[in-house]
Amino acid sequence: MTKTMQTETATTTDWHDSAFDVMRGVAAYTASPLMRGLTQVIARHPQADVAIAFNHKQVGCKMWARQSLFETVGGKFKRIVVLGGWYGVLAAMFFDDSRFEIQAIDSYDINPAVGAVAETLNGVWQGRFRALTADMYTLPYHTLEADLVINTSCEHIADLPAWLSLLPRGTRVLLQSNDYFSEPTHVNCVPSLEAFAEQARLGTVEFSGSLPMKKYTRFMLIGTV
Ligand SMILES: C[S@@+](CC[C@H](N)C(=O)[O-])C[C@H]1O[C@@H](n2cnc3c(N)ncnc32)[C@H](O)[C@@H]1O
């Protein structure tokens, strides 16, 4: 190993250890189950990109979703199904909010590497949270018994109308997309809220709004298919 490599390895290790130590302190200070879950993710899944999934922009978009949902339809749900649920941050934020009464959240993602991380993050809500690996285009939606279907990853799926057509008529949905065209993994960005609404063509729209961020604007629709 060269000297540069040794220094880089040491720096990375130090950063990981420091992040863990800081998060353990934050978890102790706040007594927050979510912060404890995040601490466990850092300890058990050092390869997970939690710094991206839990950065202030991602958290801001999810707080916006949570608040808008509460104001629009309230906080009581039997089963929420989250598609493209990634590391389960949105689910954890719902469970962490005492205004919500949610019996269960199922988080589906096509990437088999993210489920274990989501389970760790939501470990404290064991029995109420499941992370499942599946392509959202292949799920038997009529059997899922969801009273809310959330997809905040609409910019990541090629054909939003085709996916929405799989949901039973009348299903309540919360959808987010954005105009962050320059991000390579975004295969289906939209230029405006109007374009997003046109793409989704919901049966009823209970909420529609935009959240400007530094590099892009996020769009959200709540309604029924
Ligand atoms: C980068 S993440 C989430 C970004 C989004 N802004 C958010 O935080 O909600 C997008 C996720 O969608 C997942 N995904 C993409 N296509 C999918 C599909 N067909 N079925 C299920 N999950 C999918 C990816 O694996 C990834 O974890």
Side-chain angles (χ1 to χ4, degrees):
M1 200 185 274
T2 65
K3 203 173 173 191
T4 317
M5 280 168 74
Q6 277 172 348
T7 312
E8 279 175 9
T9 307
T11 309
T12 311
T13 307
D14 289 350
W15 253 113
H16 182 261
D17 288 353
S18 302
F20 174 70
D21 284 343
V22 169
M23 275 313 303
R24 202 148 64 151
V26 171
Y29 186 70
T30 59
S32 156
L34 175 48
M35 292 303 115
R36 200 161 69 240
L38 200 52
T39 310
Q40 283 163 356
V41 167
I42 291 170
R44 292 184 206 161
H45 309 278
Q47 80 296 345
D49 279 334
V50 276
I52 298 176
F54 211 81
N55 71 30
H56 70 283
K57 289 166 287 182
Q58 290 288 347
V59 169
C61 293
K62 290 175 179 64
M63 287 173 70
W64 180 48
R66 189 176 64 174
Q67 184 63 26
S68 306
L69 180 68
F70 187 76
E71 288 170 4
T72 307
V73 294
K76 258 189 156 177
F77 297 94
K78 281 192 175 152
R79 181 177 305 278
I80 296 179
V81 167
V82 182
L83 286 323
W86 205 9
Y87 293 139
V89 170
L90 182 59
M93 287 174 60
F94 275 129
F95 284 133
D96 196 52
D97 188 329
S98 60
R99 297 173 303 171
F100 284 83
E101 279 178 53
I102 302 169
Q103 287 179 23
I105 302 182
D106 292 339
S107 180
Y108 291 87
D109 201 287
I110 199 168
N111 181 352
V114 300
V117 180
E119 293 276 3
T120 298
L121 182 64
N122 288 276
V124 68
W125 296 292
Q126 222 168 18
R128 294 168 65 201
F129 176 81
R130 289 191 301 175
L132 302 130
T133 302
D135 180 346
M136 69 174 88
Y137 287 99
T138 65
L139 288 171
Y141 288 99
H142 285 84
T143 67
L144 297 187
E145 297 179 341
D147 47 11
L148 175 66
V149 170
I150 297 181
N151 186 346
T152 59
S153 300
C154 293
E155 70 275 15
H156 287 267
I157 61 164
D159 193 341
L160 181 65
W163 170 67
L164 284 169
S165 75
L166 303 172
L167 305 183
R169 292 306 88 190
T171 301
R172 177 172 273 132
V173 293
L174 182 158
L175 309 173
Q176 283 190 357
S177 189
N178 61 48
D179 62 359
Y180 200 177
F181 287 92
S182 59
E183 166 56 49
T185 59
H186 292 174
V187 296
N188 189 16
C189 284
V190 284
S192 64
L193 181 61
E194 292 69 30
F196 188 34
E198 178 62 25
Q199 194 182 57
R201 288 187 174 275
L202 296 181
T204 62
V205 177
E206 297 164 299
F207 172 95
S208 75
S210 303
L211 183 68
M213 315 292 285
K214 197 171 170 191
K215 291 188 182 164
Y216 62 93
T217 299
R218 188 160 281 267
F219 310 115
M220 180 161 62
L221 300 168
I222 299 173
T224 58
V225 294

